[in-house]
């Protein structure tokens, strides 16, 4: 035994003699019953790996799972699942994915397709979760769903709970107006329905004129949690009723294709794509792609040492997938119709190829992704993702986006990394390793000093407990006293939506005026309805000028247009003179038409281009007038929302007055 330990130590496989001896001893006990093995040092292929709990496992060539401890009986069906050896390349992939997302949120122009990093996470999650479930089923013929969900809760719940409390408390003290919609955001985050809450409130992921919402990014956790709840019992049912891996894979891929089809059907070109981006039904396919890969290539057969030639095809596919993802990250645009679903499908396939290569430590790509800095970031990627958007939101002044204040945004991103490191060490890992109950007992004992004589430990535990309690108290007060709408753009848009909730009867009739617009029009809706009772307003967040003619045509098919038609589009940067002319032609003759200018102080090029086109089209038609919202609000920025674009209550009155003045220049009748 000692000779074997010395031989292995000299080979460089292990550097810790104590662990070496234990590992070699475990391997020896596992195989000494077979006398046909001959020379043990010549036949054993020992490999050291560290799983997510930091424990050493030893595997032999040809085995697909860690060796059992010495003198233990074979695993029973009700025994806990075996720990999977650590695949360091996957942490490297996590690091790249979270970096892409953070860079995108810092400034979309730096990495236009950085949001696709989320899809890489989805593929990776689908693969790992399915692989864990399949490994447990192979061991005992069953899947303990309650144990699985309990492990997921230990892994996923502590960090977001801490982020929700800390970020809400910080916003209460620093940016209280950001909490106008906090109650709904917190409730949806706590119930893992954030994606559907954002769909229900018409939140936009891609359209932003001010600081990002504190918790908008939690939609991804909601979607994944919904997958974690529904997929395990569905997989178990499939394993019990379907025979043959090929059929299983085909069914999973069919479900993925159905999700892709839903994205294609529900996506409206030139309109905000947030509905299909947030939806579980339309964005489930990356998770299912990862699940299909787990059915085809279980991790147990990939984590063992393999000849370089055998992993070469996976390496080449992974390298190609990495190149595709890099190209998409640099070139993809969220408003491109080709992205829905074609671009997302390509990204999912590419990410699947990269996961297959990254999970194999013998391959070149897996080895490259195993670099220490990448692994350090990857292990903390969950926390980095959770902390970065609240940090960016709190560091961004009113009326700005993170791109407007790059230095503050970069500092906030580094702060988020530090907070994630602390959360990983002090919250995530202890709870994951010990569980909620044992962690609670340890904290209680530290607070009372029952199990430790170290004064410092007790003090720090009490400080932490007091900090958490204070944070909860401050956060609760902030939510309870938050303004109903605040001065945030989101609050003003929400107020506009509420003003339109009772207008259905008006929309079914001609009404006094038909008003078509985007989120700026939505924010001005309360003032417009007060100034022009009986008008019918059709406005959506993210609507672009390029779809104006299409929207008008669809409205005409449902009901006649009113004598007066107001069009307020152009703030979302897509569309120009041809689109305006098409809108006027679609409205037809015999109508009074008002075109509203845009006010985009941080995008003067688009602002001037759209406003110039509006003036040119109006000059060609005597029945078209211009409501110069840009000129009217130019000297009153205090009446705008915090993004400097959407009107606040006072700004809404100016918006409505500008429309009224334009109407006064047109004849009263057709």
């Amino acid at each position: 035994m000692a000779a074997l330990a010395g031989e292995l130590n000299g080979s460089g496989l292990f550097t810790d003699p104590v662990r070496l001896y234990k590992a070699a001893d475990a391997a020896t006990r596992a195989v000494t019953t077979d006398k046909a093995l001959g020379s043990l040092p010549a036949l054993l292929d020992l490999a050291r790996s560290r799983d997510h709990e930091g424990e050493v496992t030893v595997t032999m060539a040809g085995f697909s799972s860690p060796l059992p401890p010495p003198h233990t009986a074979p695993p029973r069906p009700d025994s806990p699942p075996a720990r999977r050896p650590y695949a360091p390349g996957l942490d490297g992939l996590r690091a790249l994915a979270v970096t892409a997302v953070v860079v995108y949120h810092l400034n979309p122009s730096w990495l236009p397709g950085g949001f696709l990093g989320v899809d890489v996470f989805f593929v990776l999650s689908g693969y790992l979760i399915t692989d864990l479930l399949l490994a447990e089923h192979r061991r005992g013929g069953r899947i303990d769903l309650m144990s699985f969900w309990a492990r997921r809760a230990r892994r996923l719940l502590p960090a977001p709970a801490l982020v929700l409390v800390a970020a809400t408390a910080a916003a209460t003290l620093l940016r209280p107006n950001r909490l106008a919609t906090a109650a709904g955001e917190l409730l949806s985050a706590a119930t893992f329905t954030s994606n559907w809450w954002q769909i229900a409130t018409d939140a936009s992921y891609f359209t932003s004129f001010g600081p990002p919402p504190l918790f908008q990014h939690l939609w991804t956790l909601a979607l994944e949690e919904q997958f974690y709840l529904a997929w395990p019992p569905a997989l178990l049912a499939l394993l019990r009723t379907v025979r043959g891996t090929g059929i299983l894979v085909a069914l999973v891929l069919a479900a993925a294709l159905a999700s892709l089809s839903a994205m294609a059907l529900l996506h409206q070109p030139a309109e905000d794509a947030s509905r299909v981006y947030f939806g579980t039904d339309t964005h489930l396919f990356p998770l299912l792609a990862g699940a299909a890969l787990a059915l085809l290539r279980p991790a147990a057969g990939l984590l063992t040492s393999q000849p370089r030639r055998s992993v070469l095809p996976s390496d080449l596919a992974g390298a190609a997938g990495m190149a595709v993802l890099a190209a998409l990250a640099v070139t993809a645009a969220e408003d491109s119709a080709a992205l829905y679903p074609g671009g997302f499908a390509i990204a999912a396939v590419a990410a699947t190829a990269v996961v297959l290569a990254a999970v194999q430590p013998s391959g070149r790509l897996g080895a490259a992704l195993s670099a220490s800095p990448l692994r350090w970031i990857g292990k903390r990627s969950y926390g980095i993702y959770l902390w970065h958007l609240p940090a960016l939101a709190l560091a961004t002044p009113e009326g700005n986006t993170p791109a407007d204040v790059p230095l503050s945004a970069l500092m906030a991103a580094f702060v988020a990394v530090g907070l994630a490191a602390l959360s990983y060490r002090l919250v995530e890992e202890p709870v994951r390793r010990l569980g909620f109950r044992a962690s609670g007992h340890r904290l209680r004992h530290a607070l009372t000093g029952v199990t430790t004589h170290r004064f410092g430990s007790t003090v720090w535990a009490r400080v932490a407990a007091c900090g958490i309690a204070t944070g909860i108290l401050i956060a609760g007060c902030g939510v309870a006293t938050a303004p109903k709408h605040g001065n945030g753009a989101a609050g003003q848009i929400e107020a506009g939506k509420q003003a339109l909730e009772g207008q259905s009867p008006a929309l079914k009739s001609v009404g006094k005026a038909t008003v078509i617009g985007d989120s700026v029009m939505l924010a001005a809706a309360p003032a417009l309805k007060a100034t022009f009772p009986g008008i019918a307003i059709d406005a959506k967040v993210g609507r672009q000028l390029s779809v104006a003619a299409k929207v008008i045509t669809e409205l005409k098919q449902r009901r006649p247009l009113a004598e007066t038609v107001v069009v307020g589009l152009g703030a979302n940067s897509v569309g120009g003179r041809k689109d305006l002319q098409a809108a006027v032609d679609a409205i037809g003759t015999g109508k009074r038409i008002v075109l509203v200018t845009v006010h985009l102080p941080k995008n003067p090029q688009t602002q001037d281009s759209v406003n110039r086109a509006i003036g040119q089209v109006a000059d060609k038609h005597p029945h078209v007038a211009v409501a110069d919202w840009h000129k009217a609000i130019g000297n009153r920025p205090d009446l705008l929302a915090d993004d400097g674009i959407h009107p606040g209550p006072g700004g809404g009155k100016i918006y409505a007055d500008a429309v009224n003045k334009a109407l006064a220049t047109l004849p009263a009748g057709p």
Side-chain angles (χ1 to χ4, degrees):
M1 186 71 253
L4 174 60
E7 180 175 344
L8 290 171
N9 191 34
S11 68
L13 289 174
F14 297 105
T15 57
D16 188 331
V18 175
R19 290 184 175 176
L20 167 68
Y21 191 94
K22 291 181 177 179
D25 180 66
T28 303
R29 291 175 183 272
V31 298
T32 49
T33 55
D34 190 347
K35 297 181 180 179
L37 283 176
S39 176
L40 187 61
L43 295 178
L44 277 178
D45 178 14
L46 296 174
R48 178 182 181 272
S49 64
R50 185 176 299 275
D51 65 12
H52 293 296
E53 303 296 333
E55 296 181 3
V56 175
T57 58
V58 180
T59 59
M60 289 193 305
F63 282 72
S64 60
S65 59
L67 291 175
H71 307 304
T72 57
R76 299 178 304 171
D78 59 348
S79 61
R83 293 187 176 96
R84 179 175 47 204
Y86 175 45
L90 296 183
D91 273 333
L93 183 58
R94 289 186 182 99
L96 297 180
V98 77
T99 300
V101 174
V102 172
V103 171
Y104 175 77
H105 287 153
L106 282 169
N107 190 335
S109 66
W110 291 352
L111 200 64
F115 58 89
L116 291 171
V118 168
D119 288 67
V120 176
F121 276 119
F122 284 165
V123 172
L124 186 55
S125 294
Y127 178 76
L128 292 176
I129 292 306
T130 305
D131 186 68
L132 282 172
L133 295 170
L134 291 173
E136 182 177 353
H137 189 268
R138 283 193 297 268
R139 291 181 67 246
R142 63 190 293 271
I143 297 175
D144 189 338
L145 295 178
M146 297 307 296
S147 294
F148 168 80
W149 287 324
R151 293 194 301 273
R152 286 293 88 199
R154 289 199 303 269
R155 174 68 181 94
L156 298 177
L157 297 186
L162 179 62
V163 170
L164 290 173
V165 171
T168 305
T172 300
L173 299 175
L174 302 174
R175 313 279 189 189
N177 61 314
R178 308 280 175 87
L179 297 176
T181 58
E185 291 178 349
L186 291 172
L187 179 61
S188 63
T191 56
F192 292 103
T193 56
S194 180
N195 61 329
W196 290 110
W197 183 84
Q198 294 187 57
I199 290 172
T201 57
D202 286 331
S204 175
Y205 184 82
F206 300 111
T207 302
S208 177
F209 300 104
L214 285 169
F215 306 122
Q216 186 180 60
H217 62 318
L218 297 186
W219 74 271
T220 61
L221 272 69
L223 197 154
E224 285 195 344
E225 280 297 324
Q226 292 158 28
F227 176 76
Y228 295 156
L229 287 173
W231 176 237
L235 177 62
L236 182 59
L238 288 173
L239 291 172
R240 289 176 175 174
T241 57
V242 176
R243 293 292 179 268
T245 301
I247 299 177
L248 279 173
V249 172
L251 290 173
V252 173
L253 291 179
L257 182 61
S259 177
L260 275 168
S261 301
M263 174 177 278
L265 292 172
L266 294 178
H267 176 251
Q268 298 295 323
E271 292 197 7
D272 190 89
S274 297
R275 162 61 184 90
V276 296
Y277 190 67
F278 288 142
T280 307
D281 53 344
T282 52
H283 211 152
L284 187 63
F285 57 88
L287 287 152
L288 293 174
L293 177 62
L295 287 164
L296 285 171
R297 299 297 302 272
L302 302 174
L303 285 167
T304 55
S305 178
Q306 303 176 67
R308 183 80 68 181
R309 285 179 299 177
S310 66
V311 300
L312 181 59
S314 298
D315 254 356
L316 293 176
M322 189 71 78
V324 169
L325 289 174
L328 288 172
V330 173
T331 62
E334 71 270 9
D335 57 1
S336 171
L339 195 62
Y340 307 91
F344 279 103
I346 293 172
V349 173
T352 302
V354 176
V355 169
L356 176 60
V359 77
Q360 302 182 66
S362 300
R364 293 187 182 277
L365 184 60
L369 291 172
S370 302
S372 296
L374 291 178
R375 285 191 287 114
W376 190 92
I377 295 173
K379 285 178 177 293
R380 294 152 184 83
S381 59
Y382 182 52
I384 292 172
Y385 181 82
L386 291 174
W387 285 103
H388 85 279
L389 200 63
L392 290 178
L394 294 173
T396 304
E398 310 296 345
N400 292 275
T401 66
D404 298 323
V405 287
L407 184 59
S408 296
L410 285 170
M411 292 177 62
F414 282 112
V415 168
V417 173
L419 292 172
L422 289 173
S423 172
Y424 178 79
R425 180 181 179 86
L426 302 178
V427 178
E428 296 174 54
E429 281 300 287
V431 174
R432 183 181 181 183
R433 187 170 59 252
L434 302 174
F436 290 108
R437 183 177 300 177
S439 298
H441 287 329
R442 177 171 290 190
L443 178 61
R444 177 169 57 83
H445 292 158
L447 288 172
T448 59
V450 171
T451 60
T452 179
H453 299 291
R454 293 181 295 174
F455 177 72
S457 298
T458 302
V459 170
W460 280 112
R462 290 174 180 174
V463 169
C466 290
I468 293 172
T470 303
I472 293 174
L473 179 62
I474 294 174
C477 292
V479 173
T481 60
K484 185 175 182 181
H485 299 299
N487 193 43
Q492 300 306 318
I493 293 170
E494 182 62 28
K497 293 174 182 176
Q498 293 179 9
L500 301 183
E501 285 179 353
Q503 77 162 2
S504 295
L507 281 172
K508 294 178 182 178
S509 62
V510 174
K512 293 185 177 181
T514 300
V515 181
I516 301 162
D518 50 24
S519 59
V520 176
M521 184 78 75
L522 267 177
L528 286 169
K529 290 187 72 68
T531 305
F532 308 103
I535 65 170
I537 300 177
D538 187 300
K540 287 186 177 181
V541 174
R543 177 177 283 168
Q544 297 168 357
L545 177 57
S546 58
V547 300
K550 177 184 176 184
V551 171
I552 291 166
T553 301
E554 291 174 350
L555 287 176
K556 289 172 67 175
Q557 292 173 351
R558 294 199 296 266
R559 61 185 182 280
L561 298 178
E563 176 186 312
T564 299
V565 180
V566 180
V567 178
L569 292 168
N572 292 298
S573 305
V574 178
R577 181 177 176 179
K578 291 177 61 177
D579 300 297
L580 284 165
Q581 185 59 56
V584 171
D585 294 341
I587 292 171
T589 58
K591 306 291 184 183
R592 300 193 304 166
I593 302 174
V594 174
L595 303 179
V596 186
T597 62
V598 298
H599 180 68
L600 303 170
K602 293 178 182 176
N603 193 354
Q605 184 176 359
T606 297
Q607 171 188 273
D608 296 343
S609 175
V610 172
N611 290 344
R612 184 166 53 252
I614 288 173
Q616 291 169 347
V617 171
D619 289 342
K620 292 176 57 178
H621 303 281
H623 63 294
V624 178
V626 176
D628 202 344
W629 155 245
H630 170 60
K631 181 178 179 180
I633 199 62
N635 295 324
R636 297 303 307 273
D638 56 305
L639 298 181
L640 293 168
D642 61 2
D643 64 352
I645 296 173
H646 294 82
K653 181 67 167 59
I654 291 180
Y655 190 101
D657 288 343
V659 174
N660 204 15
K661 289 179 182 178
L663 284 172
T665 66
L666 295 173

